[in-house]
């Protein structure tokens, strides 16, 4: 991932040319001073402020969170006869992970199948009896009460059939539940039971299944931080989680590695947590290399949508006093000027100057202890000579 786009070589060359011209004028002045017998001006090393297009970013502490996670629990009671996958293995949706002894449930299924057949036969017999009694009543050969009894018997037989079919379905489900399967793709954790163990609904989790791709990274911002990010990235809350306008989000692992795979903000809570004073955000990553782990702490880096042209100087040019950050600028007359500046984010060994300095102006990076504001100096462009 590239965070900086250097401005053109021609632009940089023009900056250095301007600085060199100023130095040449300074050299002529100092040569004249030496001929007059005056003390030579102290030598300092300077660097020119330059412009680059930087992609602004903000960094926060986040935590990996599985997009799906579940405890595998036995829904029927029985002995574990097979542990199909090893601890830590990747599985696909539907893969069998544990098998419970099925014999008891197979027998129950067969018994319920027989019960359904018996109930179905009773329904057919009740229907035949109902037809016969209806015909006999039409011939006035029986009392109407006998037809009522036949109708009731037919209804009971239908109800018994429905009950038997429900029991059969339950038996089928119980037999299916002897195979404990993965409800989604993921990686299995460590098993809590061993082969031959008696398990059931009250046993607790047999293992935990975690979906690692995609994966979420959750992090929290205070209200000032959120507003600062929106201002810094020049975006709004809706755009922050919009598929088309969401800024790129990257993660930095605990060892400092910045993953090249970008993510996107997919969730922004609708309220500030009154207990912590923060608002929760969630970013989603494909996590194809499985480098982001559930529960792991990582750094979240949010990038701006577009790069911004910024003025930069070396970090070692910056000093600080009670008033704030400042640099020592060398003017065209080779005089030192103290300039207070407003700094932005760091960019490797450089730092952004938001206010107080223009592109092409020269700041002292070496020899700061030799000079003070208002004195004349012998300025040498960094990289061309050393301070003696």
């Amino acid at each position: 991932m590239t965070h900086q786009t250097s401005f053109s070589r021609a632009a940089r060359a023009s900056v250095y040319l301007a600085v060199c011209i100023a130095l040449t004028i300074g050299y002529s002045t100092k040569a004249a001073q030496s001929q007059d017998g005056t003390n030579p001006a102290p030598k300092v090393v300077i660097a020119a402020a330059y412009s680059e297009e930087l992609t602004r970013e903000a960094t926060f502490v986040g935590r990996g969170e599985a997009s799906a996670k579940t405890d595998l629990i036995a829904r029927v009671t029985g002995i574990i006869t097979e542990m199909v996958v090893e601890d830590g293995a990747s599985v696909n949706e539907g893969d069998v992970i544990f098998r419970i002894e099925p014999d008891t449930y197979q027998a129950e299924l067969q018994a319920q199948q027989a019960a359904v057949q018996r109930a179905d036969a009773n329904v057919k017999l009740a229907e035949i009896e109902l037809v016969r009694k209806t015909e006999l009543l039409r011939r006035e050969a029986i009392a109407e009460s006998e037809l009522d009894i036949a109708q009731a018997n037919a209804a009971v037989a239908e109800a018994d059939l429905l009950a038997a079919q429900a029991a059969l379905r339950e038996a089928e489900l119980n037999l299916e539940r002897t195979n404990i399967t993965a409800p989604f793709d993921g990686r299995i954790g460590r098993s809590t039971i061993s082969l031959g163990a008696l398990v059931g609904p009250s046993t607790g989790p047999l293992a935990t299944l975690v979906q690692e791709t995609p994966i979420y990274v959750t992090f929290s911002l205070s209200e000032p931080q959120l507003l600062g990010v929106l201002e810094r990235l020049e975006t709004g809350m809706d755009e922050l989680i919009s598929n088309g306008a969401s800024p790129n989000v990257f993660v930095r692992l605990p060892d400092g590695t910045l993953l090249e795979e970008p993510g996107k903000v997919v969730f922004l809570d609708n309220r500030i947590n009154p207990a912590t004073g923060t608002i929760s955000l969630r970013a989603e990553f494909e996590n194809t290399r499985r480098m982001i782990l559930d529960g792991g702490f990582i750094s979240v880096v949010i990038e701006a949508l577009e790069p911004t042209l910024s003025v930069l100087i070396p970090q070692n040019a910056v000093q600080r006093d009670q008033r704030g950050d400042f640099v020592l600028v060398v003017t065209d007359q080779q005089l030192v000027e103290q300039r207070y500046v407003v700094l932005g984010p760091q960019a490797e060994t450089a730092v952004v100057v938001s206010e107080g300095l223009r592109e092409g102006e020269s700041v002292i990076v070496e020899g700061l202890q030799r000079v003070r504001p208002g004195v004349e100096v012998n300025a040498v462009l960094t990289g061309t000579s050393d301070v003696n």
Side-chain angles (χ1 to χ4, degrees):
M1 175 183 59
T2 301
H3 295 285
Q4 303 180 7
T5 303
S6 298
F7 68 125
S8 66
R9 294 182 179 178
R12 188 185 292 274
S14 63
V15 172
Y16 285 137
L17 179 59
V19 173
C20 290
I21 292 174
L23 290 176
T24 302
I25 296 174
Y27 294 152
S28 300
T29 303
K30 284 185 284 292
Q33 290 176 341
S34 297
Q35 292 174 359
D36 293 341
T38 58
N39 292 330
K43 183 180 291 187
V44 295
V45 176
I46 63 172
Y50 61 96
S51 295
E52 282 191 3
E53 286 191 339
L54 299 180
T55 301
R56 299 294 181 92
E57 59 183 37
T59 303
F60 305 94
V61 176
R63 189 170 187 175
E65 182 181 297
S67 53
K69 180 167 58 176
T70 187
D71 292 330
L72 300 176
I73 298 175
R75 300 179 65 182
V76 294
T77 300
I79 302 295
I80 294 292
T81 59
E82 187 177 1
M83 301 174 70
V84 181
V85 300
E86 297 181 354
D87 292 354
S90 294
V91 296
N92 296 320
E93 181 181 353
D95 286 352
V96 177
I97 300 174
F98 301 100
R99 282 197 173 95
I100 296 175
E101 185 179 22
D103 295 353
T104 300
Y105 299 100
Q106 182 67 51
E108 179 64 21
L109 175 63
Q110 292 173 348
Q112 294 302 330
Q113 288 173 337
V116 168
Q117 292 176 354
R118 183 170 57 252
D120 186 57
N122 289 335
V123 168
K124 292 177 180 177
L125 181 60
E127 289 176 347
I128 292 172
E129 182 68 10
L130 179 60
V131 170
R132 190 172 69 86
K133 290 294 179 68
T134 301
E135 180 62 23
L136 290 175
L137 180 62
R138 187 182 66 82
R139 297 177 184 178
E140 298 182 351
I142 60 172
E144 187 174 352
S145 60
E146 292 190 33
L147 178 61
D148 294 338
I149 294 173
Q151 290 174 335
N153 289 337
V156 170
E158 287 284 353
D160 289 342
L161 177 59
L162 292 175
Q165 289 173 338
L168 174 61
R169 179 55 184 156
E170 183 178 2
E172 291 172 342
L173 290 174
N174 286 337
L175 182 60
E176 290 176 4
R177 289 165 181 164
T178 59
N179 289 328
I180 301 175
T181 60
F184 49 79
D185 296 349
R187 190 159 63 92
I188 195 73
R190 185 175 61 182
S191 300
T192 62
I193 47 90
S194 59
L195 193 66
L198 177 65
V199 297
S202 61
T203 303
L206 308 183
T208 300
L209 179 65
V210 172
Q211 188 175 65
E212 297 179 310
T213 174
I215 197 168
Y216 296 133
V217 174
T218 59
F219 55 103
S220 297
L221 299 131
S222 65
E223 187 174 7
Q225 284 178 323
L226 176 61
L227 297 178
V229 167
L230 297 177
E231 180 179 355
R232 192 171 175 183
L233 303 183
E234 299 180 352
T235 186
M237 289 190 181
D238 290 339
E239 289 76 11
L240 194 63
I241 58 175
S242 170
N243 291 333
S246 175
N248 285 334
V249 182
F250 295 87
V251 296
R252 183 174 285 110
L253 301 179
D255 64 356
T257 303
L258 186 67
L259 296 186
E260 295 291 331
E261 176 187 297
K264 58 183 179 181
V265 178
V266 295
F267 170 75
L268 173 65
D269 208 348
N270 59 0
R271 63 188 292 269
I272 299 290
N273 186 331
T276 62
T278 61
I279 188 169
S280 296
L281 292 90
R282 176 186 294 161
E284 181 181 290
F285 295 83
E286 284 301 320
N287 199 30
T288 54
R289 296 174 57 194
R290 309 297 197 278
M291 299 295 286
I292 305 174
L293 301 178
D294 178 52
F297 287 97
I298 52 181
S299 295
V300 181
V301 181
I302 305 179
E303 284 192 344
L305 298 175
E306 298 292 339
T308 303
L309 188 64
S310 305
V311 176
L312 295 96
I313 58 173
Q315 292 185 33
N316 57 353
V318 180
Q319 301 182 77
R320 185 174 180 82
D321 60 15
Q322 293 181 346
R323 182 177 168 185
D325 298 310
F326 69 90
V327 294
L328 296 180
V329 178
V330 177
T331 67
D332 294 341
Q333 292 75 35
Q334 300 295 293
L335 297 177
V336 177
E337 175 187 331
Q338 185 179 23
R339 187 85 59 80
Y340 285 93
V341 292
V342 177
L343 300 180
Q346 295 182 359
E348 297 181 353
T349 60
V351 62
V352 173
V353 180
S354 302
E355 296 179 16
L357 204 62
R358 298 187 305 275
E359 178 184 350
E361 291 190 295
S362 301
V363 295
I364 300 176
V365 293
E366 293 184 33
L368 293 165
Q369 71 282 1
R370 306 180 184 183
V371 298
R372 65 181 185 277
V375 303
E376 186 176 1
V377 294
N378 178 8
V380 179
L381 190 64
T382 181
T384 60
S385 178
D386 294 330
V387 178
N388 296 323

